[in-house]
Amino acid sequence: MKHYPLLTASTAILLGLPVPAEAAAVAPVKEDTTPQSEPVPVSPGRELLRVTNDMWFLLAGVADLKSADAAAPRFSALVGEASKIGDALLGDDGQGQDLEALEMLHYHIAEALEALNDEFRSLCRARCYGSAGLIKAFHKSVDAGMFDGELVAELEMPKPPMTEPESRREIVRLKRLVEPDRVLLELLQSVQDAKSADLVVGRLQTLSTNLQTLLPEAAVVNRDFSASTARRAREAYEPVASLLWGIRSEIVRIAGLPGYDGASYDRFSDALDSVYEGLGDTHTAWFDDVFDASFRSDLDEALHENATTSN
């Protein structure tokens, strides 16, 4: 199962990273009376993690036009910092660093970048709430090689609603998602340990293949239903939404099962990864409503509690 551990204020403090003002305001700080020594140089890797973390906090706080406009200058500055750090990383061979600590740093960077990419994608879909400044900054970040250029295609003017025939076909497709969602929920509910997880791998693989036959027409992706079919579309989505929320809960529950972070669950996790991607491809606009930042936070918490208990 793909997961996105999000860097919290406490994590940032433990890593020695700067904490955003909002988090620092509530973070307890003990007075340091020890003699001050010369500052230790920060590695390019830690700098990249800091900048990525700052970007995530910044974009996660964008919720409307006003906050989008306010975030644009800072985002542009962080993109500039990231570009300079990228140049420094090319000359950093990691010699003299503890291997285990270096691997953990790389892990945190990869996960933080994935979480940042998700926030970037979400704001692209929202067209940055109409903020010309943030849209311009997003384009510059793609030019700098930080994000996939395909994502900013959604920053263009909103597409016209579906035609009546397109809307009707999409409602039919939406209703067909109920059955695979129901099957997936039942499969996940049956997983109680590594043995039962292994038993459903084959069916998950089949389900992943079947989902590929339910992809939406490329022409209707990210387009609204026509006015006359909007109500029927909402009614068709209600059972799908209920199942998706159940699937979300089961994924978090399974992530907290004893030993889930071990090799005995690898085959199951790989199969679930594939199904999860299929859900994103077939449920399009509705997917992010359920599998949002709070889902990633819940999943990360379950995985970390699992790892702590296992150790």
Side-chain angles (χ1 to χ4, degrees), residues 97-112:
Q97 300 184 47
D98 178 80
L99 181 59
E100 183 176 350
L102 190 60
E103 289 178 349
M104 183 57 68
L105 177 60
H106 288 171
Y107 167 79
H108 280 301
I109 291 172
E111 295 294 331

Side-chain angles (χ1 to χ4, degrees), residues 11-309:
T11 306
I13 292 170
L14 290 172
L15 289 171
L17 304 176
V19 182
E22 314 90 83
V26 296
V29 178
K30 294 183 179 180
E31 183 179 356
D32 186 3
T33 58
T34 59
Q36 298 298 312
S37 58
E38 290 297 318
V40 178
V42 179
S43 71
R46 279 186 171 272
E47 278 293 291
L48 178 60
L49 181 56
R50 174 190 65 80
V51 171
T52 304
N53 193 32
D54 284 354
M55 281 187 173
W56 184 86
F57 272 106
L58 181 69
L59 296 188
V62 174
D64 51 29
L65 175 59
K66 182 178 179 180
S67 55
D69 282 339
R74 178 62 177 153
F75 182 77
S76 292
L78 289 171
V79 169
E81 284 188 51
S83 296
K84 292 179 181 178
I85 294 169
D87 293 338
L89 279 171
L90 293 176
D92 183 23
D93 57 10
Q95 291 186 2
Q97 300 184 47
D98 178 80
L99 181 59
E100 183 176 350
L102 190 60
E103 289 178 349
M104 183 57 68
L105 177 60
H106 288 171
Y107 167 79
H108 280 301
I109 291 172
E111 295 294 331
L113 285 171
E114 196 160 15
L116 171 61
N117 192 70
D118 194 66
E119 287 296 333
F120 184 88
R121 179 188 296 111
S122 177
L123 284 172
C124 283
R125 289 174 176 169
R127 277 200 81 245
C128 294
Y129 297 98
S131 169
L134 192 56
I135 288 174
K136 183 178 180 180
F138 272 25
H139 278 292
K140 286 185 176 180
S141 70
V142 168
D143 292 341
M146 288 197 62
F147 299 96
D148 186 347
E150 293 184 2
L151 295 178
V152 293
E154 298 186 51
L155 291 173
E156 304 304 321
M157 291 300 294
K159 298 177 181 178
M162 301 178 209
T163 64
E164 291 296 312
E166 286 174 332
S167 293
R168 288 195 295 270
R169 289 196 300 271
E170 182 62 5
I171 289 174
V172 170
R173 188 191 72 85
L174 182 56
K175 291 179 178 179
R176 292 177 62 200
L177 293 175
V178 172
E179 181 58 19
D181 286 358
R182 182 190 60 77
V183 170
L184 175 58
L185 178 58
E186 291 177 355
L187 290 176
L188 295 180
Q189 288 172 335
S190 72
V191 174
Q192 302 298 325
D193 50 31
K195 183 178 180 180
S196 55
D198 214 44
L199 290 175
V200 303
V201 167
R203 295 187 65 186
L204 287 176
Q205 292 170 337
T206 299
L207 186 59
S208 176
T209 301
N210 291 342
L211 283 172
Q212 297 308 304
T213 67
L214 295 172
L215 296 173
E217 298 176 22
V220 306
V221 175
N222 298 320
R223 289 171 61 194
D224 293 331
F225 285 93
S226 62
S228 62
T229 59
R231 180 181 58 79
R232 280 186 289 147
R234 287 194 299 270
E235 292 173 349
Y237 172 59
E238 286 178 1
V240 176
S242 177
L243 291 165
L244 283 181
W245 281 101
I247 290 167
R248 167 183 161 146
S249 296
E250 288 303 307
I251 289 174
V252 173
R253 177 188 66 80
I254 292 171
L257 290 176
Y260 184 73
D261 56 342
S264 59
Y265 280 93
D266 281 353
R267 291 182 66 246
F268 170 81
S269 294
D270 288 344
L272 186 55
D273 264 340
S274 181
V275 173
Y276 183 76
E277 291 178 10
L279 286 178
D281 292 339
T282 51
H283 292 68
T284 56
W286 311 294
F287 185 77
D288 288 339
D289 292 341
V290 177
F291 297 96
D292 56 3
S294 66
F295 163 69
R296 295 190 302 276
S297 181
D298 291 347
L299 184 60
D300 181 48
E301 183 178 351
L303 290 166
H304 276 73
E305 287 182 0
N306 196 330
T308 303
T309 304

